[in-house]
Amino acid sequence: MIKSAVVGVGFIGEEHIEAIRRTNLGWVEAIVGRDLEKTKAKAEVFQIPHYYNDIQPVLENPEIQVVHICTPNALHYPMVKKALEAGKHVVCEKPLTMTEDEARELTELAEQKNLVNAIHFNIRYYPLVRQAKVMIEKGEIGRIYSVTGSYLQDWLVKDTDYSWRLESAESGVTRAVGDIGTHWMDLVEYVTGIQITEVNADMGTFLKKRKKPKKSIETWSGKILKNEDYDVVDIDTEDYASVLLHFNGGQRGVFTVNQMACGHKNRVTFEINGSLGSVIWNSEAPNQLTIGRRDRGNEVIIRDPSLVYPEAGSIITLPGGHNEGFADTSKQLFKEVYQYIKEAKPDNPVTFPKFEDGYREAKLCEAIIKSQKSCQWQEVK
């Protein structure tokens, strides 16, 4: 078993712990959290041997090979850098960093150290997403004309909804784009094989002030407090963005991200239109892929290892009719990472998203921010 540590034990940290274990390749040796008592309680629940409120003991433990960084965004850069300098392989939550320069530095450092580096773009690992990718590679939808879609959530609709993600000091100057927009952009570039070259962005903050809890509450907890338990604070990150896109093959596109879209808990969609057909996917119905046709009836492919291409079948665990979802995507991503580490063969192809993909998203975010400020098209450099 490859021993690992998870730094940050909120919602997504717990998902990492479960997914590591389900690979049957990894063992969680330690967790790190801000509050030692709360971290101890989680270590007991998850039966993890060691717990700390500082990353240093993890970095000094020679048995721990992999460090998963699941902290607020502002901590990604310093913690990833420390882990790489300590000779640890790293899996980092997205976004990789809050700036393009920091992302470039970490990407270069990981390559210099010859360490495995991965970023948690887990949406790639829904089997029918990979099916769509292979279909496009095989020419089944023809020449791509346009790419559209959205990432919609409603967890920030109320003025009492609060998270560290709302604060630019913790999350970066872009929130909706940096948090969920990066997922969408990585996803469509991965599936289509084409790259975004120019962006034209419109961003908005619907609630300029929110009620911040005076005590810490975990993201997605849904806990309700009394009026006296809040402070009213200014919000300096966006709730919404729509971005027009130009791609390197002349294709056009647009996507919308919105964290105040009632009725959408966590819905990622894309539609890719080509000369021979379209592929349409929705994360809230992830086990179906719609194929649109001009001259015959549309088709719906159901997630079944016997009905998809081998590349998609390789990330399906259960037989057809036994649904797989969000938690399974992280398991499949980590399986590829841990198998790569286990085999220790540098010539093996890297199939998982790397820091360079996180660096790519940092460049896209920088271009979107510049476009919003200038009200003009911005080239992605």
Side-chain angles (χ1 to χ4, degrees):
M1 284 285 191
I2 296 170
K3 291 187 177 181
S4 64
V6 175
V7 183
V9 285
F11 159 72
I12 201 64
E14 291 184 4
E15 288 295 312
H16 278 241
I17 292 168
E18 179 193 9
I20 292 165
R21 289 173 165 174
R22 292 178 62 212
T23 65
N24 294 320
L25 296 168
W27 166 264
V28 183
E29 182 72 9
I31 57 175
V32 180
R34 285 180 173 176
D35 185 299
L36 191 60
E37 285 305 308
K38 290 181 179 179
T39 306
K40 176 183 178 183
K42 291 202 174 185
E44 290 173 351
V45 168
F46 288 102
Q47 298 184 1
I48 294 170
H50 305 290
Y51 59 91
Y52 310 102
N53 62 354
D54 188 323
I55 194 175
Q56 199 56 39
V58 164
L59 303 182
E60 294 173 355
N61 185 339
E63 294 187 347
I64 293 175
Q65 293 179 256
V66 189
V67 177
H68 289 241
I69 304 297
C70 305
T71 63
N73 303 348
L75 296 174
H76 289 185
Y77 169 74
M79 288 192 168
V80 170
K81 186 174 182 179
K82 284 183 178 179
L84 293 173
E85 289 174 340
K88 307 296 185 184
H89 305 301
V90 178
V91 177
C92 185
E93 265 302 319
K94 52 77 210 158
L96 177 57
T97 62
M98 298 206 301
T99 71
E100 181 181 341
D101 289 342
E102 289 177 345
R104 180 178 60 251
E105 181 184 343
L106 294 184
T107 302
E108 291 173 352
L109 180 60
E111 293 302 315
Q112 290 167 8
K113 295 283 187 178
N114 196 29
L115 292 166
V116 174
N117 55 96
I119 191 160
H120 192 229
F121 284 134
N122 62 301
I123 303 176
R124 293 186 183 192
Y125 284 80
Y126 283 101
L128 293 183
V129 165
R130 189 167 289 186
Q131 174 72 8
K133 175 180 174 63
V134 178
M135 290 179 67
I136 289 170
E137 289 173 346
K138 290 181 177 293
E140 293 186 28
I141 71 160
R143 176 188 170 192
I144 296 173
Y145 291 143
S146 62
V147 183
T148 59
S150 62
Y151 198 143
L152 307 179
Q153 302 173 320
D154 68 3
W155 68 292
L156 291 173
V157 167
K158 300 178 181 179
D159 66 353
T160 52
D161 293 329
Y162 205 85
S163 164
W164 59 265
R165 294 185 184 278
L166 290 155
E167 302 172 12
S168 61
E170 291 278 340
S171 68
V173 294
T174 171
R175 184 227 313 163
V177 171
D179 181 20
I180 55 180
T182 51
H183 262 308
W184 190 91
M185 291 185 288
D186 175 78
L187 183 64
V188 298
E189 289 194 337
Y190 169 73
V191 172
T192 62
I194 57 179
Q195 285 198 320
I196 299 165
T197 57
E198 289 183 301
V199 297
N200 195 333
D202 176 44
M203 303 163 77
T205 304
F206 301 131
L207 291 181
K208 305 290 187 181
K209 294 183 182 292
R210 287 182 181 265
K211 296 176 181 178
K212 180 179 180 178
K214 293 179 181 178
K215 57 184 178 181
S216 176
I217 293 178
E218 282 189 11
T219 302
W220 306 97
S221 69
K223 291 182 181 177
I224 305 229
L225 304 177
K226 298 177 182 178
N227 283 337
E228 58 267 27
D229 295 324
Y230 297 100
D231 289 321
V232 177
V233 299
D234 294 326
I235 300 301
D236 61 356
T237 55
E238 82 280 0
D239 297 310
Y240 166 96
S242 282
V243 186
L244 290 168
L245 307 170
H246 288 168
F247 291 86
N248 59 353
Q251 301 87 354
R252 297 296 193 265
V254 62
F255 76 93
T256 295
V257 289
N258 188 353
Q259 296 181 310
M260 297 180 64
C262 287
H264 296 296
K265 304 307 175 187
N266 195 57
R267 192 191 77 167
V268 191
T269 62
F270 65 73
E271 178 164 338
I272 301 161
N273 306 120
S275 59
L276 300 179
S278 300
V279 288
I280 306 159
W281 182 80
N282 172 4
S283 70
E284 290 186 345
N287 293 289
Q288 298 180 23
L289 179 69
T290 299
I291 312 302
R293 301 295 185 188
R294 160 72 184 270
D295 298 321
R296 63 179 190 270
N298 292 350
E299 307 166 37
V300 176
I301 296 174
I302 303 298
R303 184 208 56 83
D304 185 320
S306 67
L307 301 177
V308 297
Y309 286 117
E311 295 91 334
S314 69
I315 54 173
I316 296 177
T317 300
L318 303 177
H322 299 76
N323 286 338
E324 293 173 284
F326 176 81
D328 300 286
T329 62
S330 297
K331 179 191 78 171
Q332 297 293 353
L333 194 165
F334 298 164
K335 273 179 67 176
E336 290 186 0
V337 173
Y338 279 58
Q339 190 65 44
Y340 188 89
I341 293 170
K342 182 180 178 182
E343 292 179 359
K345 295 177 180 177
D347 293 336
N348 282 358
V350 174
T351 53
F352 49 84
K354 296 179 63 179
F355 281 7
E356 64 184 2
D357 298 297
Y359 176 35
R360 167 76 182 158
E361 294 308 313
K363 289 195 286 187
L364 286 165
C365 285
E366 293 270 358
I368 287 170
I369 293 164
K370 289 178 182 177
S371 173
Q372 163 69 13
K373 289 179 178 178
S374 67
C375 297
Q376 295 179 337
W377 282 94
Q378 180 69 41
E379 184 181 356
V380 180
K381 298 179 179 179

